[in-house]
Amino acid sequence: MGVKGLQNFMERCCPEACVTVNLREMARQHVNKSQQGPTLVVDGMACLRHWYSCKDWVCGGQWREYMDVLKSWVEAFTSAGIRLVFFFDGVVEEKKRQEWVKRRHRVNREISKMFRHIKAHGEQPGRELFCLPSGLASFTRFALRSLGQEVFCSVQEADYEIASYARQHGSFGILGQDSDFIIYDSAPYYSVVKLRKDSLTTVLYDRQRLCQTIGLAVTQLPLLACLLGNDVVSEEQMQHIRNNAIATYRINNPAPHSGAPQGQMVLAVSHLVSSLWGREEQQTGLIPQSLDLSVPQRELLQRGVCSYLLPGQKALTPSEISARPSAFEKHVSPEILQACIEKHVAAEGFMVYNVLCEGVNECSNTLEDEDDAELLPQALVYKPCRQQIYGLLLLQGHDGSNFDLPAMREWFVYPGNPLREPDMVHPVPVSLPGDRPSLDLLWFGSGPEVSALRMTSFLSIFDCQEFSELHGAIEDSLLAAVCLVTYIVLQVQTLSQEDSDAYLSQAVCLRLKSAEELQRIKLPFLSSRAVQLGSLYVRGLGHLLGANCASGCPLPSAALMPWHSFDGRLFHSKYLLAHSGTEKTVLLDGDPSCLSLFLRLREKLTEACRKRGRVLQSRPHKPEHKTTPGPRYRERHTGRPPAGDENWRERGETTGGHRRGGGWRERGDPSEHESRERLWERGGGMRGGHFHPHPNYNPNWHDGGPHNWSRPPRQSRGRSCHSRGRHQLAPRWSQPPAPGT
């Protein structure tokens, strides 16, 4: 978040401190001055929006295209001789939890607007509602490592670790988008938002020139930041100090400043800090006694100031993370804890550090429709899986008697969860043959028996033990995919055969498609239900990764990456095809080998579900309503209207999205929509991998030409149930799970 209003102040009121520079030239100057290679420390979290420039974002992510973007971005720097070091957030510090919660609620409101737009218009909304694909930060760490880059995952506040690393290693700059980097007395701070990759030009926010303008020393910037408001000291908590400062400033400076009111505020607080800063404060770093503060406020302000002090700068520097005790150190060996920390810091692990060392697991916003009560939120879908991951990490080697059962604090964002406190979730033992093996054996053991035990542990977490025979017989990414889809089908009783087919067919077909082919896929409309299912799958890949790390890595991490098993646009096209009743040959792009593999995986999934009493049923989800696409959709997908077609403007198109009232929320008379269902169930064909949703569809539409729909029959305005039978009631999830569950 940074310092309230500081960067805006610099851009509007202190332009001399915002300098356009060429990073190639800055690196050259650094080498001449320091006689060491140029290293640029990159705030990975701040770069995600800059990196994810793919056209599609609501469908779950265009991961192969994203990989190409990352590769091109890295090459732009390495070709200039610049070494990159990336940092990503690894934890959310509890002192910043409330700010994290506020942001999550704000993003949830934006997601609700996004789903309303999709259901109203059948298309992706504009960038004003842009939301990063689920799991982007987690998978980007692995993506950069696969590109040979040095990546670190933080064990405390990432901004602090970035500034510390840049200072200690003599880096020539920090690339990010957070005004806290102006406050830290570290390397120069460059803007990633202003970056032009082709020329490597950007804006340098010069803290020395800022200090000259506002009359402060660099050592006084931390106090200024806390009085203005930041992640540690909220804006509201120092409001009375700022009010007094602005009143005094206006008395002494009756002529208004040329900048905005925020500019006056920064100058007023700067003058206050300067007037109070005496010899004692310079030597000790203490908060001036003359500030009108209560004891709790003074302690808070002191913590805020200390958060900016880097190692070696002051005796008040926060203690090193290595001194912090593990949350569950009595449950695991020191060797496990050490390996856990090392893998986390090197961005090789996932989930296990947070569980063993922090006792906390968290997940940010996911693209989920709060108005859809048929599909469970991903947090609850994967809760049994997480409980077994916790069990594998914390209960292995114990017989369960006289054992102090630990509980995990979960901060998972989902509709209906107010996030006022964490959900307390207990681990569940993993069902393995024989005695429970120790975690040390799983992680450090060797030999074929241990390898087999790792795979059994991994598959057991998802209740897919019988899939061990597929290991080595099919690609690891496909094994992961069928395991994940089986788990989802077992957990979500409202999932249909069509949903399962869409998941499996896209995983099978993705192997043969390039990033360019995936980008060329045309979608006639978007389904809000498919959007949520896409995000559900990607969140599942994260749980596969966590289970793999906990099990001692029976599968290579690369096999669990989305660019090997998922593409949002491809999945969405398969979803629309599957729910239109298209033939399986068409669903598998007319490729016999893909069809054969798909049928084999489908049979394995069906058999595993049947053994557990879960029978998949065909239940196509029909279009929600009729709508005419807006100008953005027509311009993007349909081109100009056909010459001589006077009726073109009268023709609408049927949009996607599942119809509410399905599953367990039955209402209405199914006969009301018979004509619509007959129209939809006729399905369509597919040529060249594209989707033909309507029998009178013009194939030229896919080449950028005009679409040519026949007018559909008049639709009823009522709503009805589209299910063909009664389904198991989905549990109510509008309230967080009870503690201890």
Side-chain angles (χ1 to χ4, degrees), residues 223-245:
L223 180 57
L224 171 69
C226 293
L227 292 178
L228 290 175
N230 56 21
D231 278 359
V232 178
V233 184
S234 71
E235 194 175 12
E236 296 77 17
Q237 289 168 309
M238 294 295 145
Q239 184 67 52
H240 69 292
I241 298 291
R242 292 195 304 277
N243 289 343
N244 293 337

Side-chain angles (χ1 to χ4, degrees), residues 278-298:
R279 183 182 302 273
E280 179 184 358
E281 287 76 29
Q282 289 179 351
Q283 293 177 348
T284 65
L286 297 175
I287 306 303
Q289 290 297 321
S290 51
L291 271 178
D292 180 21
L293 298 169
S294 65
V295 173
Q297 287 176 325
R298 184 171 296 276

Side-chain angles (χ1 to χ4, degrees), residues 697-740:
Y697 180 84
N698 180 352
N700 291 331
W701 180 80
H702 288 298
D703 298 322
H707 67 294
N708 187 11
W709 298 95
S710 289
R711 184 176 301 173
R714 185 175 301 275
Q715 308 292 338
S716 166
R717 294 177 180 268
R719 291 183 177 179
S720 68
C721 171
H722 59 264
S723 61
R724 297 303 184 204
R726 299 191 62 83
H727 297 270
Q728 178 175 331
L729 298 186
R732 296 300 300 173
W733 45 263
S734 59
Q735 297 297 326

Side-chain angles (χ1 to χ4, degrees), residues 363-396:
C363 184
S364 186
N365 306 81
T366 303
L367 296 189
E368 295 176 325
D369 185 4
E370 64 180 4
D371 294 328
D372 177 8
E374 182 190 82
L375 289 177
L376 284 172
Q378 64 89 17
L380 303 188
V381 171
Y382 296 114
K383 180 180 175 183
C385 159
R386 291 195 302 278
Q387 289 182 284
Q388 298 218 55
I389 293 176
Y390 304 156
L392 193 64
L393 291 171
L394 296 169
L395 304 182
Q396 292 306 104

